[in-house]
Every structure is written in structure tokens, then in C-alpha cells.
Amino acid sequence: MDRKTILVSAVLAFGVSALVSRIDLRGETSPPSRVAPRAAAPATGASYASLLAELDQRIDGLQTRANSRPGDWLTRMHLGSALLERAGLTNQMGDFARVQAVLDDAFSIAPAGSGPLLLAARFNYSIHRLGAAEEYLAMIERRAVPRRDDQLMARVLRAEIAVQRGEYEGALAELTALAAAAPVVATAELALYHAKTGKPGEAEALLEDALRSTGTNDPRRRAWIKLQLGIVAMERGELGIALKHLQEADAELAGWWLVQEHIAEIHNRRDRHAEAIAIYEELVRTADLPQHMDALAALYRHTGEPQRAEELIARAAARWDEQLARFPESAMGHALHHYLQFGPPERALALAQANHVARPGGDAQVSLAQAYLQAGQAAEALALVEKALASPYRTARLHDIAAKAHTALGHTAAAEEQMSLLLAVNPRYSSDDHSH
């Protein structure tokens, strides 16, 4: 998924379960997990830096234990879970590579058909290797007596995979059933489904329910939920409400780059470019992620500093290429936005096609349609957006690209209709809002 739903990677990255320890990536959508009970810092004074430091201490202890137990795959499973949690917080490729290495080590030790199967499924989902994730889920289901918690998490993962593949009706039925049976596990996931299918009011109500069920001793989950409320408001053009949610998220977990980048985006949408630039400059310095380099480059271009912009564009392109080489499925959707924004259009189209093959849901359809438009292939773009419009998927960006495709083909009335639908979703929409 794209960054706006935060990220599908993040969906499982922080874990949805109060029953099992699970946390996954960014970006890309699930809430911080209710992990196994352990002392948590109170929300007051909690920070991203302190959370990361505490996690690193736990990882060091687990690594020491694993080193002293060469035949113990269970210890490696716990180590891998902690590393995946870290990767979900940082979105750094090095952290994901460590998870992969620990999984490889654990499976080399574990008896055939056993091992950290759920962790492997979560990890592969988080880096968008959907087929590999399904293989591990099938292994869980083939167990003679699968654990109830594993079965529950397998169902959540399968529903999330269905969303990524555009299988919306089946995903909705399963997420609705899961949210009714185990609300702590699936309420937030159901909310994100509604946010992507044109029901922001239902998404907000479910997120508020999830927030009420989250204790003050879980600042990461509370921050994540408030972030999602902010994103839903942003997608409706309610920037003041969105900023309030984001500031509350920052109060829960101070300094989290995922919240900060959205605060910067609101400043940008309000033409408060100096405030946005200041945040992005700090994020480039500290989080060191290429999406922040892209955002800052776009702002430098807009404010008349083309040389600084070009330096950042080149730096970000190198980082995206590195990520594409190491984890192509994970990186292609995000790197695509770099090339859609800064070119060349041929590279954007190639990445958009590969991304669509890997995850042919609504987000990938719209990105591929945009790439077709930029490559001068308006008919191909229109075919894709019409396919998305025939599904439950609904976003302002979908209507924007549909309007542009119709305009390019001379369909004036159809273009005007799509613009009306766009403004009904978000009356303050600008195509620049979704450039990255």
C-alpha cells in the first residue's frame, strides 16, 4: 500500500495481536501490537528514542542467549520477533536483513515442518512477498493441532493479503468476522479497510473504539491509532482536525518520524513551507529515509532551491536502488513514487508494472495508471482506473487519475464527473498531495 495508509507495512509491523508478539514494518498499516505482557513506560514522557533504546537492549539480550544456544530455534524466534519490531519502527533495510538472517538460522535448526512459521509469514507479508507469506500460512494450517492464536493471526494475515490483491469482498467478510470475534486483534485492520473503500466515518468510529480499548501504558499503539485518525482526516481535507490528531500522537510517543512526516505534510498542504522544510531536514538527518529526501527535494524545488533539490533527488535515487536490489517487493511500491515524481517515466512505468503484478489491488492499479499517463498511454490508464472504480476501492487519488485519463482522451463530461467525485471525497485535494 502507499504511504498514506501507513502503511501497509506497518499494519503487521506493530502487530495486531494481544495474544502473540508481533510487529512489522512501516510503512506501508497495522497497529502496534499488544505484545506479551511486560512492563511498559507510561504514555507521559514516552519517546521514540527511549522505545528504540529499550528494544535494542532486549535484542542484545536475546542475541546473547541465541549465541549460547546453538540448537535452540525458539530463542531465535523471539529474537526475530524483536528484530521485526525494530524494523517496523525504523524501516531500515539493515533491520529487515537481520530478520531474514535469523529466520534462516532458525529454520536450519528446527525439525522439518516446524520452526517460526508465523514469524516468517509476518515478515514476508511485511516486505510484500505475499506468495511466500501464504506458503508459511499453509504450513501452519497443515499442523496436526495448530495453536488457536496462530490460526487467528493466520486469518488476519490472509485477510490483509486479500486487500493487497484487490479481493475486497472476501477481505471485508473476514475482517468483519474477526473484529466481532476478537476486536483487539482486528478492529484497526477493519478500520483501514473502510478508509480505503470510501467509508471514512466508519473508519474513524472503529479507530476510536480501538483507542478506547488501548491502555495508557501502550503509547506506541495509542500513537499509531491517533496517527491513523490524522490520516483519515487528511484524506477528507480536514487539515485542522488532522493536525490535532497528529499532535496528540506525538504527545503519546514523542519524536516518531512516522508522525513527524505527516505533520510536515500538513504544513506543506497549508503552504507553510518553512515549517515543513524544517521537519523534513531533521528527518533526513535522523531517520535517514529516502522518502523524506524526496519530500524535501520537492519542497526545495517549489521554494526556488533547485540545486539542493537535485542533490537530494540523486541521493534518494541511490537509496531506492539499493533497497530495490535487497528487497524488491518491499521497495518497488515506494520507489515508484520517487520516479513518478522525478522521472524518468520509463523507470516509473517498469516499477509500476512490477508492483501491480506483486499486489494488484487499488493502490497499485492507480499508481500504474498514473505511470501510463506519464508515459503517454492514456487508454491503458483509463482501463486500469475503470477496473478500480468497478471495485469497492475509493480514494480521491483514484478519481484524480480517472479525471486525468478521461481528459487526455477528450472525454470532457466523464472527466468533470470524476472531478466532482474527487471533490466530494476531499474538497481540498491537490494532486501534489499524493506525489510521494
Side-chain angles (χ1 to χ4, degrees), residues 89-113:
L89 281 170
T90 68
N91 203 34
Q92 292 293 340
M93 291 301 101
D95 288 328
F96 289 106
R98 286 186 70 188
V99 179
Q100 182 70 74
V102 169
L103 281 170
D104 291 344
D105 191 19
F107 280 115
S108 73
I109 295 167

Side-chain angles (χ1 to χ4, degrees), residues 264 268 273 276-285 289-318 320 337-339 341-343 432 435-436:
N268 187 29
H273 301 307
I277 286 171
I279 293 173
Y280 282 129
E281 284 178 339
E282 179 67 8
L283 290 175
V284 167
R285 186 182 70 81
L289 294 170
Q291 60 262 40
H292 301 146
M293 300 172 197
D294 287 339
L296 184 56
L299 274 163
Y300 281 151
R301 275 188 171 182
H302 184 75
T303 55
E305 297 189 69
Q307 183 174 345
R308 297 182 76 178
E310 293 308 311
E311 290 170 356
L312 279 166
I313 291 167
R315 184 174 160 193
W320 287 126
H337 292 292
H338 170 92
Y339 290 103
Q341 190 170 14
F342 302 117
D432 292 339
S435 59
H436 60 281

Side-chain angles (χ1 to χ4, degrees), residues 78-357:
H78 294 305
L79 173 60
S81 292
L83 288 168
L84 186 53
E85 184 174 346
R86 190 183 207 283
L89 281 170
T90 68
N91 203 34
Q92 292 293 340
M93 291 301 101
D95 288 328
F96 289 106
R98 286 186 70 188
V99 179
Q100 182 70 74
V102 169
L103 281 170
D104 291 344
D105 191 19
F107 280 115
S108 73
I109 295 167
S114 67
L117 300 177
L118 182 59
L119 173 63
R122 289 168 44 214
F123 170 69
N124 280 283
Y125 173 80
S126 75
I127 60 171
H128 304 158
R129 292 176 183 164
L130 304 186
E134 287 178 314
E135 290 176 11
Y136 286 110
L137 293 174
M139 292 175 70
I140 292 170
E141 291 159 2
R142 286 197 298 268
R143 282 177 169 167
V145 186
R147 295 173 59 234
R148 180 184 178 278
D149 295 352
D150 287 1
Q151 287 180 307
L152 184 61
M153 286 310 309
R155 288 179 64 189
V156 173
L157 278 165
R158 284 196 181 280
E160 294 290 353
I161 289 169
V163 172
Q164 292 287 293
R165 289 193 166 141
E167 299 164 359
Y168 294 108
E169 289 83 357
L172 175 59
E174 183 71 333
L175 288 171
T176 301
L178 285 164
V184 168
V185 175
T187 296
E189 278 73 10
L190 180 59
L192 296 182
Y193 175 92
H194 286 311
K196 278 293 186 182
T197 54
K199 296 181 179 177
E202 292 185 28
E204 288 172 336
L206 287 166
L207 288 168
E208 293 287 1
D209 286 346
L211 184 62
R212 281 189 291 271
S213 70
T214 303
T216 57
N217 65 339
D218 196 349
R220 174 173 45 200
R221 182 178 173 88
R222 292 180 65 83
W224 186 90
I225 293 170
K226 290 179 177 181
L227 166 63
Q228 299 308 317
L229 285 164
I231 292 170
V232 171
M234 286 173 68
E235 297 304 309
R236 299 173 82 167
E238 298 170 342
L239 300 186
I241 294 171
L243 183 59
K244 180 176 180 292
H245 285 307
L246 295 172
Q247 289 169 337
E248 290 175 352
D250 190 58
E252 294 283 356
L253 188 66
W256 191 8
W257 59 267
L258 195 53
V259 173
Q260 291 297 313
E261 73 178 20
H262 285 83
I263 292 174
E265 185 170 342
I266 287 181
H267 288 321
N268 187 29
R269 293 190 190 192
R270 288 177 148 184
D271 294 327
R272 296 176 180 173
H273 301 307
E275 290 98 322
I277 286 171
I279 293 173
Y280 282 129
E281 284 178 339
E282 179 67 8
L283 290 175
V284 167
R285 186 182 70 81
T286 56
D288 190 35
L289 294 170
Q291 60 262 40
H292 301 146
M293 300 172 197
D294 287 339
L296 184 56
L299 274 163
Y300 281 151
R301 275 188 171 182
H302 184 75
T303 55
E305 297 189 69
Q307 183 174 345
R308 297 182 76 178
E310 293 308 311
E311 290 170 356
L312 279 166
I313 291 167
R315 184 174 160 193
R319 291 288 296 280
W320 287 126
D321 287 347
E322 177 189 356
Q323 292 191 19
L324 285 164
R326 297 180 78 180
F327 294 102
E329 298 91 348
S330 176
M332 63 179 59
H334 305 293
L336 165 60
H337 292 292
H338 170 92
Y339 290 103
L340 284 172
Q341 190 170 14
F342 302 117
E346 303 80 23
R347 184 74 190 280
L349 181 56
L351 283 171
Q353 289 169 330
N355 185 57
H356 183 258
V357 169

